[in-house]
Amino acid sequence: MKKSTQIQLSVMMFLEFFIWGGWFVTLGTFLGNNLNATGAETGMAYSTQSWGAIIAPFIIGLIADRFFNAERILGVLHIAGAVFMFLMSQSPDFGSFYPYILGYMIVYMPTLALVNSVSFNQMTDPAKEFSYIRVWGTIGWIVAGLAISYVFGWDSSSGIQNGLLQNTFLMTAFASGILGLFSFSLPKTPPKANKGEKITFSDILGLDAIKLLKDKNFLIFFLSSVLICIPLAFYYQNANPFLAEIGVDNPTGKMTIGQASEVLFMLLLPVFFKKFGFKKTILFGMLAWTIRYVLFAFGNADELTFMLLLGIALHGICYDFFFVSGQIYTDTKAGEKHKSAAQGLITLATYGIGMLIGFWVAGKISDSYVNAQGLHNWKEIWFYPAGFAALILVVFALSFKNEKVEYKTS
């Protein structure tokens, strides 16, 4: 791959995740403070990610893979996203905000697959080259969080009270417009599928891989993947509002520790996977979820701030050890014919169905622990995802039979 192409793809990946990190982390705080949204409404807003994930395969399977270059669709979707973001910034209440965020997620979620498609199309050795491109996405997310906290101060106590988190949507709209225009300059990525080839509903959703569920071990893993999304949803939806409400300075900037740890533990995962095997790696990931929420329950913004920071830093283990390990496990179980279908099925089950359930549960529980002053009993709230993760851990440990899974790097 040419150096100029590598730079182009790195800029694309940086902007792709700068955009997501530039508003998604602070969304719950914005909704509660700017639009007076309830926990259930916040859950509805976050669940648009799931609807986007469910609809995305149709956009990719029916349009991108068959009729138009991936980089052109990427450009159009991000320009549309810029419009939705601007409209979100101007919304006076949740009722007017919701249709815009739903529209935005429907156009954004397919871009996650498109940036990968554009990248892989330029690579001769994806196993070695992709990580150097993808890491710029994580850097983009981190830069967005640091800018919100340490450059602009939009998530400071005074910034939140003055409604400055509205600016996150304007910043994201600007970045989305830039990426939309920049996408048309990316290397050409023509459609791979034959236009005349018949494509079915089953193909798009990866349902051809559903036969894998006949394997008891894979069924247990599949159900665990759906259920672990409940604790994951609590983190996405509640972590930033929690830190802001209890008075932690620069909460969005501090949450970038989670992305930094994600990079670190991604590098450690092959070593851990080889030494301890798949089952123990997954169990460590589940245990990290439980420990994280216990730390959140007992930490505070004073002398116990280190507990909150440690909980955030566990994100790398929580995410990489479960979800990335799960992708590897799925790949080894599927066989050559159903690899893509199996990954599509897991993505639909987790980011689609699992997160949809998770955001709903998180919203309902959050609303149950609000006092007359509008403040939350966070200790009680965090006990729920801690308990969910612990229960899933026990069931998985007892029911999943250990099996050898190879970590393939090429």
Side-chain angles (χ1 to χ4, degrees):
M1 182 168 50
K2 294 189 296 184
K3 191 67 177 179
S4 59
T5 301
Q6 183 179 350
I7 292 172
Q8 277 186 298
L9 297 179
S10 298
V11 171
M12 174 194 71
M13 203 66 77
F14 177 92
L15 289 171
E16 175 76 13
F17 286 89
F18 177 92
I19 289 166
W20 200 359
W23 68 278
F24 193 73
V25 176
T26 56
L27 175 63
T29 307
F30 167 81
L31 290 174
N33 290 275
N34 287 50
L35 304 185
N36 297 313
T38 64
E41 288 173 334
T42 301
M44 283 177 60
Y46 272 101
S47 68
T48 57
Q49 173 189 271
S50 301
W51 292 118
I54 291 169
I55 295 169
F58 293 93
I59 295 177
I60 301 300
L62 292 176
I63 302 175
D65 284 348
R66 299 168 65 78
F67 297 109
F68 302 103
N69 283 19
E71 81 281 357
R72 294 179 183 176
I73 299 176
L74 182 67
V76 171
L77 291 178
H78 273 298
I79 290 171
V83 175
F84 280 120
M85 271 289 148
F86 177 77
L87 294 172
M88 286 159 66
S89 75
Q90 303 303 304
S91 300
D93 52 47
F94 184 78
S96 59
F97 181 87
Y98 181 77
Y100 298 139
I101 190 174
L102 177 60
Y104 179 78
M105 276 307 201
I106 288 173
V107 300
Y108 178 79
M109 292 306 287
T111 68
L112 295 171
L114 288 171
V115 293
N116 287 346
S117 178
V118 172
S119 297
F120 287 133
N121 196 59
Q122 304 304 315
M123 295 177 184
T124 54
D125 190 353
K128 291 182 179 179
E129 295 172 314
F130 183 67
S131 60
Y132 294 107
I133 302 297
R134 177 59 182 82
V135 72
W136 283 100
T138 303
I139 293 170
W141 186 296
I142 291 172
V143 169
L146 294 177
I148 289 170
S149 286
Y150 296 106
V151 177
F152 303 116
W154 293 336
D155 64 344
S156 64
S157 295
S158 60
I160 291 170
Q161 290 173 7
N162 292 324
L164 296 185
L165 284 177
Q166 174 190 21
N167 294 325
T168 60
F169 302 105
L170 294 173
M171 177 181 74
T172 301
F174 182 71
S176 189
I178 289 176
L179 180 52
L181 296 174
F182 179 74
S183 296
F184 291 100
S185 72
L186 291 170
K188 295 187 184 306
T189 308
K192 297 290 180 68
N194 188 336
K195 292 181 183 179
E197 183 182 348
K198 186 178 180 182
I199 187 166
T200 66
F201 180 82
S202 177
D203 293 332
I204 292 171
L205 294 184
L207 299 183
D208 287 344
I210 210 160
K211 61 187 69 175
L212 291 173
L213 299 180
K214 294 178 181 178
D215 183 304
K216 183 182 176 183
N217 254 11
F218 189 81
L219 176 62
I220 293 166
F221 161 72
F222 181 86
L223 294 175
S224 298
S225 297
V226 173
L227 293 174
I228 205 69
C229 286
I230 296 176
L232 177 60
F234 272 85
Y235 181 72
Y236 283 156
Q237 185 169 318
N238 287 339
N240 193 265
F242 159 65
L243 296 172
E245 189 174 300
I246 66 173
V248 174
D249 293 331
N250 305 307
T252 312
K254 287 185 169 67
M255 285 184 67
T256 62
I257 295 171
Q259 275 61 53
S261 83
E262 197 177 320
V263 174
L264 173 64
F265 285 105
M266 187 75 76
L267 297 174
L268 293 176
L269 181 59
V271 178
F272 203 95
F273 206 95
K274 186 174 181 180
K275 184 172 182 178
F276 295 101
F278 171 70
K279 182 176 181 178
K280 288 182 180 178
T281 301
I282 287 280
L283 290 174
F284 272 106
M286 292 179 179
L287 180 61
W289 284 109
T290 303
I291 294 171
R292 153 185 273 179
Y293 291 125
V294 170
L295 289 168
F296 280 4
F298 291 101
N300 59 43
D302 298 314
E303 70 278 0
L304 297 181
T305 302
F306 76 92
M307 295 177 71
L308 305 179
L309 298 180
L310 182 57
I312 294 169
L314 284 173
H315 185 69
I317 301 178
C318 292
Y319 189 85
D320 294 341
F321 278 34
F322 189 94
F323 288 98
V324 179
S325 294
Q327 290 167 0
I328 296 164
Y329 177 65
T330 300
D331 188 69
T332 61
K333 297 290 282 188
E336 286 299 325
K337 186 178 180 181
H338 297 296
K339 282 183 185 292
S340 296
Q343 294 294 348
L345 183 64
I346 285 293
T347 300
L348 178 68
T350 51
Y351 281 97
I353 298 167
M355 295 298 284
L356 199 62
I357 296 169
F359 287 129
W360 181 82
V361 170
K364 287 293 185 182
I365 289 176
S366 297
D367 277 344
S368 300
Y369 291 95
V370 181
N371 61 26
Q373 290 74 42
L375 301 176
H376 296 79
N377 183 341
W378 288 110
K379 178 180 283 189
E380 296 296 329
I381 291 172
W382 292 127
F383 281 152
Y384 281 92
F388 287 147
L391 179 61
I392 298 165
L393 184 153
V394 171
V395 172
F396 186 86
L398 294 176
S399 57
F400 187 93
K401 292 183 179 178
N402 203 12
E403 60 178 297
K404 186 176 178 61
V405 179
E406 294 291 338
Y407 187 106
K408 297 179 181 178
T409 56
S410 62

